[in-house]
Amino acid sequence: ADGELVQYHYGLKDLVTILFYIFIAIILHAVVQEYALDKINRRLHLSKVKHSKFNESGQLVAFHLTSVIWCLYVVVTEGYISNPRSLWENYPHVYLPYQVKFFYLCQLAYWLHALPELYFQKVRKEEIPRQLRCIALYLLHIAGAYLLNLTRLGLILLLLQYLAEFFFHMARLVYFTDENNEKLFNVWAVVFVVTRLFTLTLYILVIGFGLPRVESQALDPERGNFFSFLFNNILFRMSVLLLVCLFQASVMWRFIHFQLRRWREYWNEQSSRKRAAAAAGTKQQTKLLKRDSGYHENGVVKAENGTSPRTKKLKSP
């Protein structure tokens, strides 16, 4: 009422909060599975492999959609989009608004809950390493941004990442319901390229131009200043930017390779369908020609009108 702004810092009590929301995430996971995904699976009659992938994409679509809307609301209300300078101004960002802190704690809780879900969902053994790698990368980046006071930059990066992931898993769901419908994969491809470009631009803007201009350039872990003194060194700054560019280039190369393989498989499938249709048309035309020239029925050659081609003998009266 008196206009005071309450802000928060991270501490050991965050672990208790995260543990509580891990149980909440497990309950919500079960609700989505029971009342939405299982009912759809009964109608589609998918194979075991597709059933597992459908459940994975269904859960991630719900999570990514919720996270995109929530993250967009946070960055808009906090003014991080309207004022890009706020991403690095007054670094380190030790004290957080309530909604920013709560968002990060919920994100950590969700990706930690994904570990026991691997057992509850009976994920196949060959799928476990891929999912563990994905979970570990998300936990590493989210916890790193939270503990190293890069929460503002982390919010924008999560928004871009979740937006691309939402379209990808939505395209997978549509594909499982109708294998001939791959239009949403094209939408995902465009969104993926755009988000990669924005991510690379954001890295260059913050690392190359923002953090080197921070007033406090001394290493001060007690105040949460871990990076600004490093980025003041042009050699270190250029090395980090080079690593970021190489990583994004590798991601784009894998994406282009995937798209080329998918398009090649699509065109091969289309050409095989055309050949099958042409063969069927030729076969049908051959049958018509045989019908026109006469055909055999019960060992007797008959003409088009059904009469025998032999001349009939007239019986004497």
Side-chain angles (χ1 to χ4, degrees), residues 40-317:
I40 299 174
N41 279 321
R42 294 190 193 101
R43 296 182 180 180
L44 296 178
H45 303 288
L46 299 174
S47 62
K48 289 184 178 180
V49 176
K50 290 184 177 180
H51 184 272
S52 177
K53 292 182 178 180
F54 184 87
N55 288 337
E56 177 190 357
S57 293
Q59 293 288 346
L60 289 175
V61 161
F63 168 71
H64 288 316
L65 179 60
T66 304
S67 297
V68 165
I69 296 174
W70 189 3
C71 189
L72 184 62
Y73 173 79
V74 172
V75 297
V76 169
T77 55
E78 294 295 331
Y80 299 153
I81 293 182
S82 59
N83 183 22
R85 290 177 176 271
S86 61
L87 297 178
W88 61 82
E89 281 184 343
N90 300 321
Y91 178 83
H93 307 132
V94 178
Y95 298 103
L96 307 175
Y98 170 76
Q99 60 180 354
V100 175
K101 180 181 175 65
F102 186 56
F103 177 82
Y104 270 94
L105 294 182
C106 289
Q107 291 294 313
L108 292 172
Y110 178 85
W111 289 111
L112 286 172
H113 112 281
L115 295 173
E117 285 295 343
L118 295 177
Y119 173 77
F120 295 147
Q121 294 293 319
K122 298 180 180 179
V123 179
R124 296 183 302 149
K125 291 183 179 180
E126 54 269 23
E127 288 289 325
I128 290 178
R130 178 186 62 83
Q131 295 200 23
L132 284 177
R133 186 167 58 250
C134 178
I135 294 169
L137 287 173
Y138 273 113
L139 286 174
L140 178 65
H141 285 80
I142 295 172
Y146 183 65
L147 297 175
L148 299 177
N149 303 314
L150 291 169
T151 51
R152 299 180 183 182
L153 177 62
L155 282 173
I156 305 297
L157 293 177
L158 277 178
L159 177 62
L160 296 173
Q161 175 67 18
Y162 285 163
L163 185 63
E165 288 293 311
F166 167 74
F167 280 101
F168 173 72
H169 290 288
M170 193 68 196
R172 286 182 72 184
L173 290 181
V174 175
Y175 176 76
F176 289 140
T177 56
D178 182 10
E179 294 186 355
N180 296 321
N181 191 350
E182 297 185 358
K183 295 181 180 179
L184 205 57
F185 277 110
N186 298 327
V187 178
W188 164 71
V190 175
V191 174
F192 181 85
V193 174
V194 172
T195 53
R196 291 304 100 190
L197 292 176
F198 271 104
T199 299
L200 184 59
T201 304
L202 193 62
Y203 272 119
I204 295 174
L205 182 64
V206 175
I207 296 175
F209 300 99
L211 290 177
R213 298 182 180 181
V214 174
E215 295 180 359
S216 177
Q217 295 291 342
L219 176 62
D220 192 358
E222 294 183 358
R223 293 187 55 197
N225 192 340
F226 299 101
F227 288 108
S228 57
F229 80 101
L230 292 174
F231 291 110
N232 194 32
N233 187 336
I234 187 171
L235 182 61
F236 178 82
R237 185 165 68 247
M238 296 304 297
S239 299
V240 172
L241 288 176
L242 179 61
L243 289 175
V244 169
C245 292
L246 289 176
F247 175 75
Q248 294 297 326
S250 66
V251 171
M252 287 301 300
W253 169 251
R254 292 178 58 188
F255 170 77
I256 293 171
H257 180 71
F258 168 77
Q259 289 296 323
L260 291 176
R261 184 182 62 185
R262 188 172 70 88
W263 288 336
R264 184 166 58 250
E265 292 174 354
Y266 173 77
W267 287 115
N268 289 337
E269 183 181 357
Q270 291 296 320
S271 61
S272 63
R273 287 182 179 179
K274 289 181 180 179
R275 286 195 298 268
T282 304
K283 193 173 182 180
Q284 185 69 20
Q285 189 175 6
T286 304
K287 288 183 179 179
L288 292 175
L289 289 174
K290 287 182 179 180
R291 192 176 185 86
D292 291 340
S293 60
Y295 65 97
H296 292 76
E297 183 177 345
N298 295 329
V300 179
V301 178
K302 291 189 176 182
E304 183 181 359
N305 56 4
T307 61
S308 175
R310 298 178 181 177
T311 58
K312 293 183 178 181
K313 291 182 180 181
L314 296 176
K315 295 182 179 180
S316 57

Side-chain angles (χ1 to χ4, degrees), residues 12-22 102 105 109:
L12 292 177
K13 293 182 180 179
D14 289 347
L15 299 178
V16 181
T17 307
I18 291 173
L19 180 62
F20 172 78
Y21 283 103
I22 285 175
F102 186 56
L105 294 182

Side-chain angles (χ1 to χ4, degrees), residues 19-48:
L19 180 62
F20 172 78
Y21 283 103
I22 285 175
F23 293 117
I24 297 297
I26 292 175
I27 295 171
L28 293 177
H29 190 115
V31 169
V32 173
Q33 185 69 40
E34 178 69 23
Y35 293 99
L37 298 179
D38 286 345
K39 291 183 178 180
I40 299 174
N41 279 321
R42 294 190 193 101
R43 296 182 180 180
L44 296 178
H45 303 288
L46 299 174
S47 62
K48 289 184 178 180

